Every structure is written in C-alpha cells, then in structure tokens.
Amino acid sequence: MSSTVIPLAAGAGLDFSLPQQLTVIALCALTAFISHMALAVFNDGVRPFMLDFIQGRTTRTATTAVSFGLSAGFIFGLGAPMALSSGVLNPWLLFLPTDILGLLSPKKWLAPILGAAWGAVVVFGLGGANNLAHDLPVDFLTAMQQMSTPILFLFTLFPVLAITKQFGRGWGGIAGVVELALVVLTMKLWPNMFAGALAMAVGVLLLIGLAISRDLKQRRLDRATAAQADAKGPAAGAGPAAGTAPGGGAPGAGAPAAGEEPADEPADDPMASLFSASAARLRRYLPLFMVLGAGVCLLAQMHIFGGGEATSFLIAKGQYAEAAQVDFYRVFGFVPLIATTALASGAYGIAGFTLVYPLGYLMPNPVLALAVGAAVFALEVLALSYIGKVLGKLPSVRDSSEHLRGAISETLQLAILFGSLMAANAMGAGLGILVVGGLYLLNEAMGRPVVRMAAAPAAVIVGGILLNVLYWLDLFTPVKG
C-alpha cells in the first residue's frame, strides 16, 4: 500500500448476493445452535464460565446474562460501526449475537431459528441502514473510513510492543528500527503492497524465535542442573555411617516404600483429568465442528467478511493476501488462549484457532474453501490435547501469546481512538472533535460502561447523529468535501 490512502471498495454500500445472504443466515443459525449446545462460543471471556453451565452448576439465564454483559459493547460499539464504515462483516457483529441467542434459547430447535433471524437482520437491514446514513447531510459513515489508515499502520507495531514487554527495551528497540526500515522499504519498492506486511512478518518471527530460544536455553539449564544433582546423589550417602540419610530420613529415603507410587509418576492430576474429559467431549461432536469450519471458511472466501479490525479494511480494499497475512499472525496470539480455555471448559471457539480466516481469504473457489475449512477444524479438535501438552512445555511461547494479545489490544485502542477523532474532524471539524472526544472521555469518567475499544466508534455514530440533529435545527453547517 502506498502512502496515499486507497478508497474502500465497499464504500458504496453493503449489498450481498443471494448465495452470500444464504451463507450468512445459515452460518448464524449453526453458530446459535452450537452455542445452545454449549459446544463453542466466540467470546473468549465467556468460555471460562461455560464449565459451570455444562456441569449444571449455573442456569442458562445466568450464563446468557454473562454473555450479554461481556458482548453487548463489542456488538454495538465495534462490530456494527466497523461493518458500516468498511462495508465488510466481522465476527463481533455475526458471532457475538449468536452466542447470546443460542444460550438464551430454552429449546434446541429454537436456537437456529433465532440465529437465522439475526443473520437475516444483518444481510437485509445493514445495507438499508448504510444507504440511509450515506444520504444524511452529515455522512458519518464515510467519515469513519478515516479510521482505516491509523488502524492499518499502527497495527503494524504490535510485534514491537510484545517483544519490548517480554524481552526488554534492547530487543524492542531493535525490532522497532527493523520494522520502520521495512515499512519505508516496502512503500518505496512495492507501493501496491500493504506497507506493514513485511514488517509484521519479521516482527512476529523475531518474537517467536526469541521465545523458543529462551525455552530451549532453560531446558538445557534444567537438564544440566538435574544431571549435577544426580551426580551428587550417591556421594552424599557414601561412607561407613550411611545408615541414616541426609536430613534424618530412613535408609533409602529416595526410593518409594512398598505400596507407594514411584517419585516420577505423579498422582492423579485433576486438571489433566478435566482436560481429557473436555477434549473427549469435543471429539464426540467432530462432524458438527467440521460443518462449522466449512461454513466459516466459506464466508471468508466470499470476501464479505474480515476476522479483525485491520483485516476488514484490507478486505474492503481488495488486498486479500495482505488480509490473510495479518490474520495469520493473530493466530499466534490466540492459539494458547483458545486451547487452554477449551480444554478447561469443554467449549471450543466458534472460529477455532481462527486459522480458517486467512485460509478462506486465499481459497480460489467455494468448494475448496468448504473442504479446507472442514479439514482444518477436524485437525484442530483432534489435536487439542496434544497442543495443550506442547504449550505446557513451552512457557515462554505461552507468554509470547499473552504479550501478543495485549499488544494487539493496545495498538488497536490507540488506532481506533485516533481514527475516530480523524472521523470526527472530517464530519464536524472542531465541533465534531469536541462531541466525539467528549463522549469518549465521559465514558471513561463513568467507569467505561462501553468497553474502551468500542467506545470511540460508538461515539462517532452518536456524534454523527447529533450533528445531523443540529443541522436540521439550523445550528450546524456540515464540513464541505
């Protein structure tokens, strides 16, 4: 991507073909049904609460209340504004409501009907709302496209933040300089390519390389320490008066007594038992998960859906390879979280490890997308226990995923806030900034009733409506151009 902002391809409206409409409706029906069965939810914050629901320690109503409380801000403050401004659907708009509707439904047969109804609202109602907003004197949706530039460019820095937090300022500074150089180089040599693509690739690879190197170094150190302990062991008990072991124990204190378990065979681990039971529960529904994976991958292949904030704008610009690259990097930040919460709760993620997003963007036809999506979900579910065990042996890699998620949130919060203020300036100049910035600050002062990431886009929409009201009252003149 060059330094000039490329107009969004979807700026004209949200119009879907019949196959696209049917896919969205069917997928919303399926995800609501799966949520009702407590097999998967999209909201990572809701998943830890699912174990109590599955085991009958909490009610459907209480679990629905938790889901609504954790999701409503993202649906109306982030999902809807992002879809309206980019012209591309997103998981917050589609899957968070079906989480709620599925859990809310008292009957199994009602859940897919409610999910399908929400899908119909999205595909038939969103376009009308989009067209209506564009016809207003203050077109706040077009103004919201100003968000694309800060989101795309600031998002590039998330590996730098993650490296700095985990490995210190030295490595963070190196990563920052390298990424900046690569962004400048990309803009100069490949102007049609997303400027942050190469920089993000190098940043993520550097983070993973540092984490693996630390884990391998620690394992070598642990083995050396264990070898030294073994070498000292026999010598400590040697001598003619070795009838008593060091510390006053009985002879042979290091060996297990009759009837005891060997020291290297730990007693039953309740967490391991829970993880095993959860993995087995998910495997029992493998065909249903394969259908889910096929549906999500197909939706991504249609290029009317983006898995993230930056991805939505890249899809809108028609940069599908770059969108796939961005969502592929996000996978590294979410695999440990999704795997551990799924094994602990018995409920998987609606999008799995989200690997079906980038694969779907790159699929040349719907048939291949269906096959690949089903295969990817099958492998993910079958490998869940193994992935959990591997992550247990790589603590630095696990920590890297935590830092990646935190860095993604921090960069996007700043980018969305900055982009929202740019949108406010575009639609109302100083008054627009005053209204949108004031609403954002008011939300902060009130203890964030709307989550921080969603507060700024929501403020743009509320501010845009307010500016239109002021125009109709002849108290405001829209900014020209």
Side-chain angles (χ1 to χ4, degrees):
M1 188 178 74
S2 66
S3 58
T4 303
V5 178
I6 300 174
L8 300 187
L14 275 157
D15 299 319
F16 304 105
S17 66
L18 181 61
Q20 291 170 343
Q21 291 171 347
L22 294 176
T23 299
V24 172
I25 292 171
L27 187 57
C28 286
L30 177 62
T31 53
F33 176 75
I34 288 175
S35 172
H36 174 86
M37 298 282 289
L39 291 173
V41 290
F42 180 77
N43 194 320
D44 295 321
V46 174
R47 201 171 302 117
F49 294 92
M50 297 301 291
L51 181 63
D52 286 342
F53 175 63
I54 291 169
Q55 296 183 348
R57 292 195 295 267
T58 189
T59 64
R60 183 174 293 278
T61 302
T63 308
T64 303
V66 169
S67 181
F68 181 81
L70 293 175
S71 302
F74 286 102
I75 296 169
F76 301 108
L78 187 62
M82 275 290 172
L84 289 169
S85 60
S86 69
V88 176
L89 301 177
N90 56 69
W92 306 286
L93 182 64
L94 293 183
F95 302 146
L96 289 181
T98 57
D99 279 0
I100 299 168
L101 293 171
L103 290 170
L104 175 67
S105 174
K107 300 293 183 181
K108 187 183 296 186
W109 59 266
L110 183 59
I113 295 176
L114 293 176
W118 175 253
V121 168
V122 170
V123 295
F124 295 117
L126 208 60
N130 183 70
N131 294 332
L132 177 63
H134 282 303
D135 291 335
L136 292 173
V138 180
D139 184 357
F140 55 86
L141 292 187
T142 298
M144 287 184 72
Q145 293 179 6
Q146 297 284 333
M147 297 170 62
S148 65
T149 300
I151 285 177
L152 290 174
F153 278 87
L154 287 176
F155 186 75
T156 302
L157 293 174
F158 79 87
V160 177
L161 268 65
I163 290 171
T164 304
K165 290 187 175 183
Q166 187 171 7
F167 298 102
R169 289 176 291 183
W171 279 111
I174 292 172
V177 171
V178 170
E179 283 211 4
L180 178 60
L182 290 173
V183 168
V184 173
L185 185 66
T186 303
M187 294 174 69
K188 182 67 175 178
L189 299 181
W190 305 288
N192 294 323
M193 178 180 174
F194 169 44
L198 185 59
M200 279 191 291
V202 172
V204 171
L205 288 174
L206 178 59
L207 175 65
I208 295 172
L210 290 170
I212 292 175
S213 174
R214 174 179 286 183
D215 281 334
L216 292 177
K217 188 180 297 183
Q218 184 61 46
R219 292 182 69 177
R220 285 196 296 268
L221 181 62
D222 291 343
R223 283 197 296 267
T225 303
Q228 290 176 359
D230 290 342
K232 293 178 180 178
T244 303
E260 292 183 356
E261 290 185 355
D264 59 348
E265 294 181 12
D268 290 340
D269 183 354
M271 286 305 295
S273 177
L274 174 62
F275 280 16
S276 178
S278 296
R281 177 178 187 264
L282 296 175
R283 285 196 297 268
R284 285 200 300 272
Y285 293 93
L286 185 62
L288 188 59
F289 280 114
M290 292 175 69
V291 174
L292 175 62
V296 176
C297 195
L298 174 63
L299 184 66
Q301 191 275 335
M302 291 179 166
H303 299 148
I304 60 170
F305 173 90
E309 300 88 346
T311 314
S312 293
F313 287 111
L314 288 170
I315 292 290
K317 296 172 188 291
Q319 297 178 316
Y320 308 129
E322 287 86 348
Q325 185 178 357
V326 169
D327 271 355
F328 179 72
Y329 299 146
R330 290 172 69 106
V331 171
F332 293 105
F334 287 90
V335 166
L337 173 68
I338 294 169
T340 52
T341 55
L343 289 170
S345 68
Y348 198 41
I350 286 294
F353 293 146
T354 71
L355 191 58
V356 288
Y357 293 164
L359 292 174
Y361 305 148
L362 300 176
M363 290 297 105
N365 60 69
V367 175
L368 189 57
L370 289 168
V372 168
V376 167
F377 257 52
L379 290 173
E380 288 180 6
V381 173
L382 292 174
L384 205 52
S385 292
Y386 175 75
I387 293 171
K389 292 177 182 176
V390 170
L391 290 173
K393 299 176 181 178
L394 298 172
S396 293
V397 174
R398 262 197 336 270
D399 291 344
S400 293
S401 73
E402 297 283 345
H403 290 297
L404 275 176
R405 288 200 311 278
I408 288 172
S409 295
E410 289 181 19
T411 53
L412 287 175
Q413 282 174 7
L414 176 61
I416 290 172
L417 175 59
F418 189 68
S420 296
L421 292 175
M422 290 174 63
N425 182 66
M427 69 183 184
L431 181 59
I433 292 175
L434 172 65
V435 172
V436 172
L439 289 171
Y440 180 86
L441 292 173
L442 181 62
N443 183 71
E444 290 286 311
M446 294 171 62
R448 299 193 199 113
V450 179
V451 291
R452 179 176 282 171
M453 190 175 292
V460 174
I461 291 181
V462 174
I465 294 172
L466 178 59
L467 290 176
N468 277 290
V469 172
L470 292 175
Y471 168 81
W472 290 323
L473 294 174
D474 200 22
L475 297 174
F476 171 72
T477 301
V479 177
K480 293 183 179 180

